[in-house]
Amino acid sequence: MKFGFALSGRGPLAEPDALSAIARRGDELGFEWLLTGDHIVVPNSIDSTYPYTEGGEFPGSASGVAMEQLTVLSFLAGQTSNIRLVTSVMIVPHRNPMVAAKALATLDVLSKGRLVVGIGAGWMREEFEALGLPPFEERGAVTDEYIRAFKELWTSDSPSFDGKYLSFSDVTFLPKPVQEPHPPIWVGGESRAAVRRAGQVGNAWYPIGSNPQFPMGDPESLAAGMRRLAAQAERAGREPSEVATVFRTHDYRLEREGISGERPYFSGSVEQIAADIHTYEELGVSGLVIDLGRISRDVDDVLGHLEDLATRVVPGV
């Protein structure tokens, strides 16, 4: 099992010094991944349902702050050496695909091959409309097409593409990413469409456990999703083993005395959390991403959680 952590995109934990301190310490402690989210604008009125809260409220709507994802990862690439940098997730339709492919390739070069491209189709209609994007209802088709274009640009010596939303030919696209054939692609999301996309084009499926519409917060639900993933991979002519599963939890909480009775997975004592990790590992989950912002008041809190995870929980596993 490999471990990663998500960074905050707003508030005190997203200040430059805070991001630097957290990323550097995570790198020193040997974490595999750091991850950051993606919004370009935050509309003042949002009727769209956020997938990861019970009431559908978007936690970022109050502040309106959203650090630009690729800029944050580029900033941190120069301050770290080994930890992999994950777009978690990039809303693929948000950016011109050739510009996005270039930025991602450049980031892979500058980080010496540490980029992971987490992708999603998006959920906020109002943001799509503010950015003047293709219709929100077509976001899945746009995402699929742009990913094909990314791969063409990243791998072909003479890239060309003729699609519904994008066409190009007679261009030079250099530099190519360091990683061959291209940086790993994690497909985020829990819906049937996301699982299909992961099975078809992903190097990993990246579900979050807190989606009330598509619950994945317990081993049984996740196992069912992984069976659907395997079926989609086979349908696409791939071996299911080609698509890893990296699970993200919002429920991590280490308690010195443990928790008696019913508890969320990944909460409790070292022994309880280690047992949960073993359970997920036995399902075939190869990576676990922890969201520390929800349980941290300041940078010292985050650094303490990273230290505990690396020096107490991981050895317990």
Side-chain angles (χ1 to χ4, degrees), residues 44-111:
N44 293 327
S45 298
I46 301 174
D47 292 326
S48 300
T49 300
Y50 179 63
Y52 301 110
T53 56
E54 284 292 338
E57 303 88 358
F58 175 48
S61 59
S63 73
V65 175
M67 301 282 276
E68 200 283 319
Q69 180 184 70
L70 299 183
T71 308
V72 171
L73 292 180
S74 297
F75 171 66
L76 297 177
Q79 303 187 54
T80 54
S81 300
N82 298 301
I83 197 166
R84 296 178 68 82
L85 313 163
V86 186
T87 60
S88 174
V89 293
M90 168 184 276
I91 308 304
V92 175
H94 278 184
R95 295 168 178 81
N96 175 288
M98 295 188 78
V99 174
K102 170 63 76 170
L104 291 165
T106 302
L107 180 50
D108 198 52
V109 170
L110 293 176
S111 67

Side-chain angles (χ1 to χ4, degrees), residues 6-15 19 35-39 42 60 63-69 72 248 291 293:
L7 296 168
S8 295
R10 58 188 171 271
L13 296 179
E15 296 294 330
L19 289 170
L35 306 91
T36 188
D38 186 23
H39 285 286
V42 179
S63 73
V65 175
M67 301 282 276
E68 200 283 319
Q69 180 184 70
V72 171
R248 177 168 170 173
D291 190 337

Side-chain angles (χ1 to χ4, degrees), residues 5-182:
F5 57 91
L7 296 168
S8 295
R10 58 188 171 271
L13 296 179
E15 296 294 330
D17 290 347
L19 289 170
S20 298
I22 294 166
R24 289 198 304 266
R25 188 59 183 142
D27 194 26
E28 292 166 357
L29 288 168
F31 283 91
E32 183 73 12
W33 308 290
L34 64 78
L35 306 91
T36 188
D38 186 23
H39 285 286
I40 296 177
V41 297
V42 179
N44 293 327
S45 298
I46 301 174
D47 292 326
S48 300
T49 300
Y50 179 63
Y52 301 110
T53 56
E54 284 292 338
E57 303 88 358
F58 175 48
S61 59
S63 73
V65 175
M67 301 282 276
E68 200 283 319
Q69 180 184 70
L70 299 183
T71 308
V72 171
L73 292 180
S74 297
F75 171 66
L76 297 177
Q79 303 187 54
T80 54
S81 300
N82 298 301
I83 197 166
R84 296 178 68 82
L85 313 163
V86 186
T87 60
S88 174
V89 293
M90 168 184 276
I91 308 304
V92 175
H94 278 184
R95 295 168 178 81
N96 175 288
M98 295 188 78
V99 174
K102 170 63 76 170
L104 291 165
T106 302
L107 180 50
D108 198 52
V109 170
L110 293 176
S111 67
K112 300 181 180 179
R114 290 189 283 135
L115 176 66
V116 176
V117 182
I119 64 163
W123 62 271
M124 192 194 297
R125 176 188 297 274
E126 294 84 357
E127 188 171 13
F128 274 63
E129 293 171 350
L131 294 172
L133 303 178
F136 181 74
E137 290 78 10
E138 299 176 31
R139 65 194 185 281
V142 172
T143 297
D144 291 339
E145 184 169 302
Y146 284 10
I147 292 300
R148 293 196 300 272
F150 285 0
K151 290 185 175 183
E152 174 68 10
L153 290 163
W154 289 338
T155 62
S156 175
D157 291 334
S158 181
S160 64
F161 192 85
D162 186 17
K164 178 179 178 180
Y165 305 99
L166 171 71
S167 296
F168 56 81
S169 62
D170 194 29
V171 297
T172 297
F173 186 90
L174 294 171
K176 302 296 187 190
V178 171
Q179 298 176 88
E180 295 182 353
H182 53 71

Side-chain angles (χ1 to χ4, degrees), residues 224-244:
M226 293 172 70
R227 289 192 293 271
R228 292 193 292 271
L229 175 68
Q232 290 291 346
E234 290 175 345
R235 194 166 298 155
R238 306 175 70 195
E239 289 292 330
S241 59
E242 294 178 33
V243 189

